[in-house]
Amino acid sequence: MNIENIKEVIKSSKVISFDLFDTLFYRPYLHPNDLFSHLGIIHKKPLFKSQRIMAEKNARLKSSDEEITYDDIYKFIQDDFIDMKAEELKLEFNTIMVNEKIVSLFNYAKSLNKKIIFTSDMYLPAIFIQKLLSKFCIDGYDSLFISSEKKVTKHKGSLFK
């Protein structure tokens, strides 16, 4: 990533859009599903990872929308694991880290009074994302577009509309 080249693009643009996960935010896991393994270990529920993955798969298969919500996923989880819903959010919140290079680009765009938006394909709710942004003192952005809130995705291009 050449920061100076990106700054030149920012300088000449009206609107700056940042992706969130695996760009501004990152997790300390090789794969996002590793969080589920971690939860299973912490809470002595070794089957949680497979159940959580299956619940999300079922929620996506049964949904007529492009994107699902966090609540949709937990509608398909076995009763033995319903208590993990809050625990998953806690672990996400406590383990997610911020990419300081992207924060510096955000602050640069902000210093130029650019319109700044965050856009993410994510099942987590916008209120959770807002708390994460606040945790890392990221404020002053104009809009937050989360696929689960709109039920459409960046992947298919619908979220950009």
Side-chain angles (χ1 to χ4, degrees), residues 18-130:
F18 291 95
D19 180 45
L20 292 174
F21 289 86
D22 301 323
T23 303
L24 177 65
F25 300 134
Y26 61 98
R27 296 170 170 123
Y29 304 105
L30 291 176
H31 189 275
N33 289 343
D34 291 344
L35 175 111
F36 309 143
S37 296
H38 190 183
L39 272 169
I41 292 165
I42 292 169
H43 296 280
K44 297 178 176 50
K45 293 188 177 194
L47 298 177
F48 176 70
K49 179 179 180 179
S50 62
Q51 287 298 314
R52 174 59 177 74
I53 291 169
M54 187 57 68
E56 184 172 343
K57 183 178 179 180
N58 286 334
R60 290 186 187 285
L61 285 171
K62 306 260 182 188
S63 178
S64 58
D65 297 315
E66 281 180 34
E67 185 60 284
I68 59 172
T69 67
Y70 189 64
D71 289 339
D72 293 337
I73 294 167
Y74 272 86
K75 287 176 188 170
F76 287 91
I77 204 144
Q78 289 183 356
D79 290 343
D80 295 350
F81 300 102
I82 200 70
D83 61 322
M84 298 296 278
K85 185 177 181 183
E87 297 304 321
E88 182 178 338
L89 288 179
K90 281 184 208 170
L91 189 59
E92 282 276 22
F93 191 82
N94 290 329
T95 59
I96 286 175
M97 296 174 278
V98 70
N99 183 332
E100 293 296 342
K101 288 181 182 178
I102 303 301
V103 172
S104 73
L105 291 170
F106 167 80
N107 287 328
Y108 178 71
K110 196 168 133 179
S111 76
L112 297 175
N113 295 313
K114 299 295 180 173
K115 181 174 184 166
I116 302 170
I117 62 175
F118 292 112
T119 312
S120 187
D121 272 345
M122 176 50 69
Y123 52 77
L124 293 170
I127 190 74
F128 180 83
I129 305 299
Q130 290 165 340

Side-chain angles (χ1 to χ4, degrees), residues 137-155:
C137 301
I138 299 169
D139 57 14
Y141 54 92
D142 295 280
S143 298
L144 175 64
F145 298 101
I146 307 297
S147 60
S148 63
E149 299 284 319
K150 304 290 183 186
K151 300 287 196 161
V152 294
T153 64
K154 285 185 345 182
H155 178 74

